[in-house]
Amino acid sequence: MDKLCPPWAETNPDDMPEEVLANPLLDKLFSFHEFNAALADKKDSSAPGMDGIGFDAIKKLPLKYKLLLLDIFNEMYSQAIFPDSWREAFVIFISKASGSGLRPISLTSCFCKLFETLVRNRLQWWAETNIWLPRSQHGFRKGFSCSDNLTGLLLRAEEALSTGREVSTAFLDVEGAFDNVNIDILIDSLSRLGCSSCPLKFIKFITHERIIHTTNNDTTRRSYKGVPQGSVLSPLLYSIYVTSIIEDLPAHVYISQFADDLAVYTISGDSVCSISSLENSVQIIDRNLNKLGLNIAPHKTKFIHINNKKIKPGSKAIRVLESTIKSGNNYKFLGIIFDYELSFSSGQPHSYQMLISNEHD
């Protein structure tokens, strides 16, 4: 499917939207209270970046040097001038739990991560105050957690089964989610929401380019297409970026989001109606993602058809783009195994039970 957004070109960090309004709350200098709150959020055991200075050392600074550091941060923020060393990342690779490849871990400057946290905290507060994020988005928000996604799905499924209805659920994967964020679209979206120049210029800086060092003594200068993996700001920026993907969904369709993890489900008394509604909803989400330069990965999509009508897993299927996805009986969603198993209780009709566990036996 053709992308509806223009082809990506390298972002110029000096380019800004034509109309960026001033915002006294977002542009004001950081207070010492904000500084201490951001620093207290950091673990002493966090690995340092290329400079070798960890949060344990920063926390031990005498008061006058913490105040001096805050003054430096505020000067950077107001002047939009940041150290080139903040672009450097030491990348190590660890094996994924599934054994299907390697996961890159980026070690960056703790000073940079502290500054990112200051910007993130203020931007998060502004986003929540102005209701930028939909209630379906539970990722990296105060008062929300993974359990909200799982509990909502489980309770609605139990309620549907108790009334003889069915639940068709698709677990979707956004292909290369963070890596494929179009920064120009992101900056324009933030600007339209009222984000001002100080945070926007730092976001431009942090997303434009990084110098990657590896254990093989290789050094690569990389211009980013998306938001950096492992960045303090990236989850919030991604959540803001994809707020529009649930637009035009029917009212009877439910969606749970945790950053780039999505679960979409429909409830109906009829299999054909439930599955047709789910397929239509997935198409709408994919169309909205395409406008942002993102798309669903069909080969990673999972489908579970929850019912108590003796319809076994594998009997139903949905179409996702050009792929046919058969129903399964379990899926690992947000680190939790969601099981849907046929129960053969002695003297009782066949029924299905739903379980959640940390491990699948």
Side-chain angles (χ1 to χ4, degrees):
M1 181 181 293
D2 293 334
K3 303 298 181 196
L4 299 181
C5 68
W8 173 79
E10 183 175 334
T11 300
N12 185 337
D14 297 322
D15 287 345
M16 296 292 288
E18 292 183 3
E19 295 184 6
V20 178
L21 301 177
N23 187 313
L25 289 174
L26 293 179
D27 286 340
K28 70 177 182 179
L29 301 181
F30 296 110
S31 68
F32 194 50
H33 173 75
E34 289 178 283
F35 178 89
N36 284 330
L39 187 56
D41 186 53
K42 302 304 177 186
K43 295 180 179 179
D44 292 359
S45 58
S46 295
M50 299 288 290
D51 56 17
I53 301 173
F55 288 118
D56 55 342
I58 299 174
K59 288 182 179 181
K60 293 176 181 176
L61 287 174
L63 176 60
K64 66 177 182 180
Y65 290 114
K66 287 182 179 178
L67 291 170
L68 178 59
L69 179 58
L70 176 60
D71 287 341
I72 294 171
F73 278 179
N74 279 325
E75 187 70 14
M76 290 178 184
Y77 192 58
S78 60
Q79 299 297 321
I81 300 174
F82 309 101
D84 286 339
S85 60
W86 283 9
R87 298 187 189 273
E88 297 190 29
F90 187 78
V91 178
I92 59 176
F93 297 90
I94 61 174
S95 298
K96 292 183 178 179
S98 61
S100 60
L102 299 175
R103 185 183 304 279
I105 303 295
S106 296
L107 305 181
T108 56
S109 167
C110 287
F111 289 112
C112 181
K113 286 189 281 191
L114 180 58
F115 189 89
E116 278 190 78
T117 304
L118 284 165
V119 177
R120 190 274 313 275
N121 289 350
R122 188 174 285 183
L123 200 57
Q124 182 93 49
W125 176 85
W126 186 251
E128 298 289 358
T129 300
N130 290 277
I131 318 176
W132 289 356
L133 304 175
R135 289 196 60 81
S136 60
Q137 177 60 264
H138 300 144
F140 306 96
R141 300 175 67 184
K142 288 185 178 180
F144 294 83
S145 69
C146 294
S147 59
D148 295 321
N149 300 65
L150 297 165
T151 302
L153 173 57
L154 191 62
L155 289 178
R156 287 196 175 99
E158 293 283 6
E159 181 185 10
L161 292 180
S162 69
T163 55
R165 293 177 296 167
E166 306 169 19
V167 183
S168 295
T169 307
F171 297 95
L172 308 178
D173 184 273
V174 180
E175 194 161 15
F178 280 36
D179 292 337
N180 288 317
V181 169
N182 184 303
I183 300 303
D184 290 328
I185 294 177
L186 172 64
I187 294 296
D188 285 340
S189 297
L190 287 167
S191 176
R192 286 196 301 272
L193 290 168
C195 192
S196 52
S197 61
C198 285
L200 285 179
K201 287 180 179 179
F202 177 66
I203 291 168
K204 275 277 192 176
F205 167 82
I206 208 68
T207 57
H208 173 60
E209 182 182 67
R210 280 201 177 176
I211 302 170
I212 306 299
H213 304 269
T214 66
T215 53
N216 296 326
N217 294 322
D218 293 330
T219 300
T220 304
R221 185 178 293 272
R222 177 184 172 188
S223 293
Y224 268 103
K225 180 182 177 182
V227 292
Q229 293 282 354
S231 167
V232 173
L233 262 171
S234 290
L236 174 60
L237 296 179
Y238 180 82
S239 295
I240 294 172
Y241 186 70
V242 297
T243 53
S244 62
I245 67 171
I246 62 173
E247 290 179 355
D248 303 322
L249 282 178
H252 63 276
V253 174
Y254 302 95
I255 181 168
S256 291
Q257 299 171 267
F258 196 93
D260 56 337
D261 289 305
L262 291 90
V264 187
Y265 50 104
T266 60
I267 300 173
S268 175
D270 176 73
S271 297
V272 175
C273 180
S274 177
I275 291 174
S276 175
S277 180
L278 180 63
E279 288 178 331
N280 179 58
S281 300
V282 172
Q283 288 178 359
I284 292 172
I285 291 172
D286 186 63
R287 200 158 52 235
N288 290 335
L289 283 168
N290 290 166
K291 295 175 184 177
L292 300 173
L294 303 172
N295 59 277
I296 293 170
H299 62 286
K300 292 184 179 180
T301 297
K302 301 297 180 182
F303 168 49
I304 294 181
H305 178 236
I306 303 168
N307 70 93
N308 56 8
K309 301 178 180 179
K310 303 181 183 179
I311 303 174
K312 297 181 180 180
S315 302
K316 299 292 182 179
I318 60 171
R319 291 284 295 173
V320 176
L321 303 182
E322 302 301 320
S323 299
T324 300
I325 314 295
K326 287 189 175 182
S327 59
N329 70 327
N330 69 79
Y331 180 67
K332 188 174 184 180
F333 184 54
L334 301 175
I336 301 294
I337 298 295
F338 185 88
D339 265 315
Y340 174 60
E341 299 178 339
L342 185 60
S343 174
F344 295 94
S345 300
S346 178
Q348 298 293 328
H350 296 337
S351 63
Y352 282 100
Q353 60 180 348
M354 288 169 297
L355 306 168
I356 57 173
S357 59
N358 292 319
E359 295 182 1
H360 182 60
D361 294 333

